[in-house]
Amino acid sequence: GYTMFSFVPDLYSFASLAAMEYAKKTGASYLVLREPVLDIFDYHPAWQRYAIFDEAFDIYDSILYLDADVVARGPNIFEQYNSPGFHAVPVPVASREGSSLVEFQGFRWQLEPWMPGSANFHTAPSLEKLKSAMQALGQIHHALAQAHPRLDRSVGLNDRWNRIRYWLNPADRSFSNQFLELESRLRSGPPMSADPAMSAVFEAGSVICMRFRRMCHEIADELNQAKDLRVEIQPVIADIWHDHVLFQGDLVSGVIDFGAMRLDATDCDVARLLGSLVRDDAALRQAGLTAYATCSNRPPGFALVGLFDRSTVLLSGMNWLDWIVIEGRHFDGLPKIVDRLREICGRLENLAGTL
């Protein structure tokens, strides 16, 4: 038989019904797992389906494991916690019918104002721009601190811990089959039919893998020590970086793209934005932290900001290599990805000098 599996917590009952209808159309059996097979903090998330497959293949001939994105109706956090700190945020606006969500040409759209300015920090950098960006982030965090503040483990640090264990086994300091396979493919080089830019991907990838080998155990040890710390968490942006911060002159005019928001330590946003804007410039990083602290409800924990940044530098290139070299994904604008990989190589070199 042909079987569909879907891990759907009770909160996502709508997704469960939609998946059930799909199963009916395809003539598949349908099973819903309401509890994870593995502890998400102790295993890489992808291992959930492997644990399912190990048991289910004894019963079924073929399996489709379905991950579903769900639109959950609930209060809009920007409307609920609107404050002067949101001057640069595209707070949704209501239609004539009174809702910020509208149906158009078969799609559901959220109405937001178009934010002015351009993401030009790298082409026209200034200290005032850096301060304005970090103060805007601090104001946003201050406003969002009204929502769900509590002590808990950092999702971001645990995600990084899981991800680093995808490549190695910290217990015996051995490298995983995935890492060894990646090294083997990089040594073999790209296929002859590949995009010409793929040679540059493989060249940068070899450097990234070499640096990963040298530094991964130390950062893994840091993550292992920090992953269970109870830290203050609240709503964070989780994907704030250079291209999502708009300027008019030296002032921030817009912060965009809040699709990755989650509950986590604010340090994850501070590290992400600082690393994206000024990379490893110690003086500018300190200036950014000082500017942020003037507007935030609490200063960032310098140790966690550093760990978020170091682990991001270590793992971001490995993520790209996993997608491109191992999974064979195709991306538009490959030359821009090459530029990003080369930037990561530079940051890895700087990181090696500090460990």
Side-chain angles (χ1 to χ4, degrees), residues 22-327:
Y22 182 79
K24 289 180 180 177
K25 288 184 178 181
T26 59
S29 302
Y30 178 64
L31 300 177
V32 179
L33 304 179
R34 297 191 179 276
E35 296 293 337
V37 178
L38 303 172
D39 184 344
I40 199 69
F41 284 107
D42 289 335
Y43 296 85
H44 188 275
W47 295 2
Q48 296 278 359
R49 56 179 170 269
Y50 299 143
I52 295 170
F53 293 167
D54 284 344
E55 298 180 5
F57 269 130
D58 292 335
I59 305 172
Y60 301 101
D61 297 326
S62 54
I63 299 170
L64 171 63
Y65 177 92
L66 180 64
D67 283 327
D69 290 329
V70 178
V71 177
R73 292 184 177 272
N76 188 300
I77 195 167
F78 297 134
E79 295 171 350
Q80 197 170 17
Y81 301 101
N82 199 356
S83 78
F86 284 91
H87 71 281
V89 173
V91 178
V93 296
S95 67
R96 293 174 182 172
E97 288 74 27
S99 172
S100 63
L101 295 176
V102 297
E103 300 282 348
F104 180 69
Q105 294 184 345
F107 294 92
R108 177 169 291 177
W109 302 82
Q110 179 164 274
L111 300 179
E112 300 175 354
W114 184 266
M115 305 305 290
S118 58
N120 61 2
F121 183 88
H122 285 166
T123 56
S126 74
L127 181 59
E128 291 307 311
K129 276 185 175 178
L130 172 63
K131 290 179 178 178
S132 182
M134 298 307 297
Q135 287 170 348
L137 179 59
Q139 290 168 347
I140 292 172
H141 283 167
H142 181 74
L144 291 176
Q146 304 172 61
H148 312 295
R150 69 170 188 261
L151 293 177
D152 206 339
R153 293 186 293 180
S154 164
V155 173
L157 291 180
N158 278 277
D159 283 347
R160 286 161 173 77
W161 170 246
N162 287 325
R163 190 61 189 169
I164 208 168
R165 295 203 307 166
Y166 175 75
W167 298 111
L168 63 91
N169 179 8
D172 63 8
R173 306 180 85 81
S174 64
F175 290 92
S176 68
N177 291 334
Q178 292 90 339
F179 181 81
L180 299 177
E181 175 65 19
L182 175 60
E183 284 190 319
S184 175
R185 293 193 187 190
L186 288 171
R187 285 193 297 268
S188 299
M192 294 295 293
S193 59
D195 186 311
M198 194 63 76
S199 294
V201 170
F202 275 61
E203 180 181 349
S206 297
V207 175
I208 290 170
C209 269
M210 178 187 67
R211 295 291 187 188
F212 183 88
R213 262 191 177 274
R214 294 180 180 178
M215 295 184 286
C216 61
H217 297 296
E218 187 167 346
I219 293 178
D221 290 342
E222 288 188 80
L223 288 170
N224 189 29
Q225 294 172 15
K227 65 183 176 65
D228 293 322
L229 291 177
R230 313 294 285 191
V231 298
E232 290 188 61
I233 67 168
Q234 66 167 68
V236 298
I237 302 172
D239 190 26
I240 182 166
W241 64 293
H242 176 279
D243 287 11
H244 292 169
V245 182
L246 311 179
F247 295 91
Q248 286 185 318
D250 283 337
L251 298 179
V252 169
S253 57
V255 177
I256 60 174
D257 199 342
F258 293 81
M261 285 189 74
R262 65 175 185 240
L263 294 175
D264 208 340
T266 55
D267 294 24
C268 72
D269 281 350
V270 175
R272 179 83 164 99
L273 184 56
L274 270 180
S276 174
L277 295 181
V278 299
R279 302 184 179 101
D280 301 307
D281 188 308
L284 291 179
R285 290 179 70 88
Q286 184 56 53
L289 288 171
T290 301
Y292 172 85
T294 63
C295 296
S296 173
N297 55 309
R298 59 180 179 271
F302 294 110
L304 284 188
V305 169
L307 180 53
F308 269 111
D309 185 61
R310 289 190 295 276
S311 55
T312 296
V313 172
L314 182 73
L315 290 167
S316 56
M318 298 298 292
N319 289 339
W320 280 110
L321 296 176
D322 192 24
W323 296 330
I324 296 173
V325 179
I326 297 297
E327 296 183 8

